[in-house]
Amino acid sequence: VQLQASGGGLVQAGGSLRLSCAASGRPFSRYRMGWFRQAPGKEREFVAAINWSGGSTYYADSVKGRFTISRDNAKNTVYLQMNSLEPEDSAVYYCTADRSGSVYEDEYDFWGQGTQVTVSS
C-alpha cells in the first residue's frame, strides 16, 4: 500500500490542524492505520492508531483528549484532527499501515512520507 500524508503547516499554539493520509494499492479497509511523529533530535514516537473498522482507537498519553484519529474507508483516507496544539507537538508526522494486529501494537509494515507540523508559541 502507498501512503500520502498531507495537511501539515504552521499554526499558533492553541490552534488546530487536520492531517490526512490517502492510501492506495491494497484494500484500505483491511488495514490498521496509525500516526507517528518525530521531532528534531528526538526518537520517533507513536501518536494514534485506529483499527480497520474505526471502532477501536488508541492514543499516546501526550495527545489524548486533544487529537482524534478517524478513517473513511470509502475514501481510502485516515485523518488526524489535532486541537489545542502546543509547541511540543511540532514534528514531522508520518502515516502508517499494517495488515494485522491490534491498535496497541506499534509495528507497522508500511510508512508514508512525513508532513511537517510546526506550532509557534
Side-chain angles (χ1 to χ4, degrees):
V1 64
Q2 291 78 45
L3 304 171
Q4 180 74 38
S6 61
L10 174 64
V11 64
Q12 289 188 335
S16 298
L17 280 175
R18 188 174 82 156
L19 305 183
S20 299
C21 176
S24 61
R26 293 270 184 172
F28 173 75
S29 62
R30 299 180 183 178
Y31 282 75
R32 167 171 57 103
M33 303 296 295
W35 289 95
F36 285 71
R37 66 186 182 186
Q38 187 167 21
K42 295 187 177 181
E43 292 189 354
R44 185 176 63 199
E45 64 172 348
F46 167 80
V47 175
I50 189 167
N51 75 335
W52 67 274
S53 69
S56 181
T57 57
Y58 180 56
Y59 298 92
D61 287 343
S62 59
V63 306
K64 199 174 298 182
R66 300 187 298 122
F67 290 11
T68 302
I69 188 171
S70 62
R71 66 191 296 160
D72 186 337
N73 286 344
K75 296 181 178 180
N76 286 1
T77 302
V78 64
Y79 305 97
L80 185 68
Q81 178 67 44
M82 305 185 296
N83 298 329
S84 302
L85 283 162
E86 304 167 352
E88 293 73 23
D89 295 316
S90 296
V92 176
Y93 283 70
Y94 297 91
C95 174
T96 62
D98 197 275
R99 289 164 288 191
S100 63
S102 78
V103 294
Y104 306 106
E105 297 181 36
D106 60 5
E107 293 293 326
Y108 284 82
D109 290 335
F110 303 99
W111 292 76
Q113 97 298 347
T115 185
Q116 177 71 49
V117 172
T118 303
V119 184
S120 62
S121 57

